Amino acid sequence: MKTKARYKLTVICALVMATSGLMMAQDAPKLTDPEIASVAVVANQIDIDYGKVAIKRSKNKEVTDFANRMIEDHSAVIDQAVALVTKLGVTPKDNAVSQSLMSQSKETLKKLNSVSKKDFDKTYIDNEVAYHEAVIGAVKNVLIPQAQNSELKDLLEAVLPALEAHLGHAKMAQSKISK
Amino acid sequence: MQTHKSLVSKYLFIVAVLICAFVLMMGFKSSEDTYKPTRHTVTIFKMKFNPEHLVVNKGDTVVWINKDFYQHDVTEMTSKKWTSKPFNQGESWSKVITGDIKYYCDLHKVMKGTITVAK
Ligand SMILES: [Cu+2]
């Protein structure tokens, strides 16, 4: 019970941080396309990193299948993003949003690596649900509206349904695990 | 007089029988021999099967084309009786339809579709 409450608190904190990060991003000078590209690559890479921990630590096929899917799909997005920036001749540019995503993910990775085997599956899947919700919000409300280049906008719009499918899939796994 | 009349009616009767036979044969021909199975296309794009629900005739072929840069598959939903196995962007997979089908993508379990055979 105690760990559950603590976990809930952490997730809420992370969400508040993510949202405030996004609010700042909305108030701050708009993200440029190279910055949006950087956020997109970082956000996808983070979920790949979580998936790799899951494959290493989980014994549950439901969980490892999901983690493999995350690695495959988010790698495909990165490939598309890299191909696009190469074609457009832009270099992804590090920025406040990608940095904040990075530092949050370091905390989460620490937790995923240290949580007991018994609690791993639930910790991982709960985080996947929260993370996809946060990223969907960011793509929908910040990245797509701010993207200038139409091909970059198209790519972000193609990513959104995948994130939503992943969220639905994560919620299915979540309900099976908590039973 | 009498014989002439019966000859005419006999003749008319034979003509009527021949016409009937001809019409019947044509009817059978169009309903059985000339039905050509059709190919239908389901496009997989932005994590959706489109059309999601498709009505076909028995014996028709359905081709699923993956237009996403993600892998997808087409898998029977109730007991995974059959599956296409994952396929990539630009690739397709087809199946001859013999009955109603409920399917999904086993990689992205929220993606679903149906094929219904017209009665
Ligand atoms: Cu799929």
Side-chain angles (χ1 to χ4, degrees):
Chain A
M1 269 301 122
K2 214 174 169 190
T3 39
K4 199 175 173 187
R6 204 185 305 146
Y7 182 74
K8 255 188 188 155
L9 201 69
T10 325
V11 168
I12 290 165
C13 279
L15 278 174
V16 169
M17 273 168 66
T19 332
S20 63
L22 295 178
M23 295 297 238
M24 273 164 60
Q26 261 171 336
D27 292 342
K30 289 172 79 178
L31 288 175
T32 63
D33 282 0
E35 287 169 338
I36 290 173
S38 160
V39 172
V41 171
V42 167
N44 282 286
Q45 186 58 50
I46 286 172
D47 206 44
I48 294 172
D49 295 343
Y50 295 161
K52 284 179 179 164
V53 180
I55 284 169
K56 212 169 60 193
R57 299 206 62 199
S58 181
K59 292 270 187 291
N60 182 327
K61 192 171 181 295
E62 191 90 27
V63 172
T64 53
D65 278 355
F66 176 82
N68 271 315
R69 188 50 25 211
M70 293 308 104
I71 293 169
E72 292 274 335
D73 285 358
H74 289 287
S75 300
V77 175
I78 291 179
D79 290 348
Q80 293 290 315
V82 168
L84 181 59
V85 296
T86 309
K87 182 185 158 197
L88 299 174
V90 298
T91 313
K93 192 168 176 294
D94 201 17
N95 59 84
V97 179
S98 50
Q99 279 161 11
S100 129
L101 281 172
M102 266 306 212
S103 63
Q104 276 171 245
S105 85
K106 275 184 189 141
E107 290 305 308
T108 307
L109 279 173
K110 231 182 260 174
K111 191 175 70 199
L112 289 175
N113 279 306
S114 62
V115 73
S116 71
K117 281 250 165 176
K118 174 173 75 69
D119 293 331
F120 178 83
D121 290 347
K122 187 172 162 28
T123 308
Y124 170 69
I125 291 292
D126 285 352
N127 181 64
E128 283 300 294
V129 170
Y131 185 70
H132 278 85
E133 275 169 352
V135 174
I136 286 167
V139 172
K140 214 189 262 180
N141 304 318
V142 182
L143 304 190
I144 290 176
Q146 292 195 4
Q148 295 298 305
N149 180 279
S150 66
E151 284 178 272
L152 180 60
K153 221 185 248 286
D154 287 348
L155 175 59
L156 293 166
E157 271 160 4
V159 171
L160 202 52
L163 293 170
E164 275 156 0
H166 292 169
L167 176 61
H169 190 172
K171 282 180 172 170
M172 282 169 64
Q174 191 179 42
S175 69
K176 278 182 197 168
I177 285 168
S178 58
K179 261 174 207 164
Chain B
M1 271 307 169
Q2 199 88 332
T3 38
H4 184 240
K5 210 176 179 184
S6 78
L7 248 163
V8 169
S9 68
K10 216 175 209 174
Y11 174 75
L12 278 176
F13 178 74
I14 289 166
V15 167
V17 165
L18 281 173
I19 288 172
C20 276
F22 183 70
V23 166
L24 271 171
M25 270 166 70
M26 288 298 283
F28 276 121
K29 213 172 181 162
S30 66
S31 72
E32 278 182 2
D33 299 343
T34 59
Y35 176 71
K36 273 208 189 114
T38 322
R39 279 167 83 87
H40 306 262
T41 304
V42 174
T43 303
I44 313 176
F45 189 54
K46 298 201 170 178
M47 295 278 161
K48 278 200 171 69
F49 294 108
N50 187 17
E52 214 175 319
H53 306 289
L54 182 64
V55 179
V56 305
N57 287 311
K58 197 172 175 174
D60 284 359
T61 298
V62 175
V63 185
W64 284 265
I65 301 177
N66 184 3
K67 300 250 169 141
D68 265 336
F69 55 77
Y70 312 100
Q71 286 192 320
H72 293 295
D73 67 35
V74 180
T75 302
E76 199 277 327
M77 202 160 97
T78 49
S79 59
K80 298 195 193 186
K81 247 179 275 171
W82 44 261
T83 178
S84 65
K85 304 254 174 74
F87 53 104
N88 293 305
Q89 183 173 35
E91 293 177 346
S92 62
W93 182 76
S94 63
K95 183 173 175 59
V96 175
I97 306 303
T98 52
D100 293 354
I101 289 169
K102 279 186 183 165
Y103 66 90
Y104 76 129
C105 173
D106 194 37
L107 305 178
H108 306 102
K109 301 181 196 296
V110 294
M111 297 172 58
K112 292 169 187 170
T114 65
I115 308 286
T116 310
V117 171
K119 288 283 137 53

